[in-house]
Amino acid sequence: MTSSYVTATSIDDAVAAMAGGARPVAGGTDLVVGARQGKAPLPESIVAVHRIEELHGIETMDGSMRFGALASHEAIAADATVRERLTALADASAIVGSHATRVQGTLGGNLMNASPAMEPGGPLLCFDAPVTLPGSSGCGGVAPRDFLAGPGQTTAHPDELLTAVDIPLQPAGTGSCYVRLEYRQQMEIAVVGATAAVTFDEGKVADARVAITALAPTIRRVPEAEEALVGTDGGRDAAEAAARAAAAAAEPISDVRASVEYRRAMAAVITRRAIEAAVRRAWGETVPVPASPAVHGGLS
Ligand SMILES: Cc1cc2nc3c(=O)[nH]c(=O)nc-3n(C[C@H](O)[C@H](O)[C@H](O)COP(=O)(O)OP(=O)(O)OC[C@H]3O[C@@H](n4cnc5c(N)ncnc54)[C@H](O)[C@@H]3O)c2cc1C
């Protein structure tokens, strides 16, 4: 039962409330919906952060984009620069929950909830997007790989408010894609997901990043898959080698949605489809956003 609820209008107020034990709520689509579903009781003390102006907004700067913690999935998916230069993030944001979830749910809340199945996590890892958390450690940017610690766990201190995520715009010649295995296209979370970002130079893959979703305690990059792509033409053989490496690196669990065996088998399929679509985008072909429905139907 919540005994204290305050609304902060500045970052300092929110951090002060959190130092006093309050838990922040942004869109409430994890915190409040989870409490209603009986996953965890509402915290005793809550500070609402949705009126903090500085946490809103998506800004394109020289060479990077800054997403306020309150940027909604809907706004991110609709942003023209995201769709063009950070396409995997557009793919991921466009398939979070339902339209209502995307309008209400925020990037900051998604990251702090730290689900191993969260949609934007793979793209953020592949784009090496540091998160900013003013609070007890006074910390600037934390690399995403150092931030996600386990299912529902981050390395943030309880009084640290996530304020922004900065994502470097990807160099010319880059294509990226996030694909999830989904049993339906709305109100779904990833059964298995994969992100790929590939940068070509003179016809060869000069840089590759691959991350797997819902296949380990946290979303994680797979260096072996990335190595299998670099220096190749990014064709079918390379994509298959990288996909096998991703499946080998997976540590899936069995749950109500899929077995270990099915998840591992699908890890290779979904990773290959993400890589193939990222390569097509790098070559200037159109793969519509979100990629998931398109690639499951359109690529063999
Ligand atoms: C029906 C439904 C479908 C969904 N589908 C998907 C899906 O497909 N993919 C997916 O990834 N997610 C999905 N979600 C989960 C959820 O919508 C997202 O994770 C959303 O982005 C959470 O954001 P929020 O602002 O609502 O978080 P909140 O519920 O407000 O907060 C979540 C957690 O983060 C903390 N928090 C929030 N903001 C901050 C901050 N700025 N700094 C520090 N801590 C903070 C809160 O204290 C809480 O612990 C779904 C949820 C629902 C209800």
Side-chain angles (χ1 to χ4, degrees):
M1 171 81 114
T2 301
S3 55
S4 143
Y5 179 95
V6 294
T7 302
T9 52
S10 71
I11 291 174
D12 287 349
D13 286 352
V15 171
M18 289 166 73
R23 180 104 168 262
V25 64
T29 63
D30 276 316
L31 193 72
V32 180
V33 175
R36 285 196 183 141
Q37 291 172 342
K39 283 186 193 155
L42 277 179
E44 265 192 29
S45 173
I46 289 181
V47 53
V49 298
H50 62 282
R51 296 224 175 109
I52 304 178
E53 213 44 59
E54 298 147 87
L55 301 185
H56 287 272
I58 299 175
E59 210 183 329
T60 303
M61 295 172 297
D62 196 20
S64 69
M65 288 188 81
R66 169 159 287 199
F67 298 83
L70 293 173
S72 71
H73 301 295
E74 190 69 13
I76 295 170
D79 187 280
T81 311
V82 175
R83 292 173 83 92
E84 194 188 324
R85 304 282 302 274
L86 304 171
T87 322
L89 182 63
D91 289 329
S93 306
I95 56 174
V96 170
S98 63
H99 181 70
T101 324
R102 291 192 288 278
V103 169
Q104 185 75 11
T106 65
L107 185 62
N110 187 270
L111 269 165
M112 294 304 294
N113 194 53
S115 162
M118 75 202 218
E119 253 53 76
L124 295 183
L125 278 174
C126 285
F127 294 145
D128 243 333
V131 300
T132 303
L133 298 141
S136 58
S137 65
C139 145
V142 182
R145 67 175 175 280
D146 298 329
F147 181 69
L148 300 171
Q153 288 167 11
T154 70
T155 53
H157 296 237
D159 69 343
E160 284 182 325
L161 182 74
L162 194 157
T163 55
V165 180
D166 288 292
I167 309 187
L169 288 171
Q170 300 305 291
T174 301
S176 68
C177 182
Y178 172 75
V179 176
R180 77 176 178 194
L181 173 64
E182 52 194 11
Y183 297 145
R184 53 185 184 187
Q185 289 178 6
Q186 293 278 327
M187 302 297 276
E188 179 63 307
I189 53 168
V191 181
V192 164
T195 308
V198 287
T199 305
F200 279 86
D201 187 24
E202 297 185 357
K204 297 280 181 213
V205 177
D207 186 31
R209 284 143 287 153
V210 175
I212 50 176
T213 296
L215 285 166
T218 65
I219 294 166
R220 50 159 298 202
R221 291 260 298 265
V222 185
E224 302 84 351
E226 297 170 354
E227 283 156 22
L229 288 169
V230 172
T232 73
D233 62 359
R236 179 87 179 203
D237 288 350
E240 283 185 348
R244 280 194 301 276
E251 309 162 71
I253 55 162
S254 285
D255 63 15
V256 57
R257 310 181 69 245
S259 66
V260 164
E261 295 75 20
Y262 184 61
R263 279 203 165 95
R264 199 181 288 284
M266 288 302 102
V269 174
I270 298 302
T271 305
R272 176 176 57 78
R273 288 181 183 177
I275 293 167
E276 287 175 344
V279 167
R280 285 177 54 183
R281 283 176 170 163
W283 286 113
E285 281 183 51
T286 300
V287 177
V289 172
S292 283
V295 303
H296 296 321
L299 294 172
S300 62

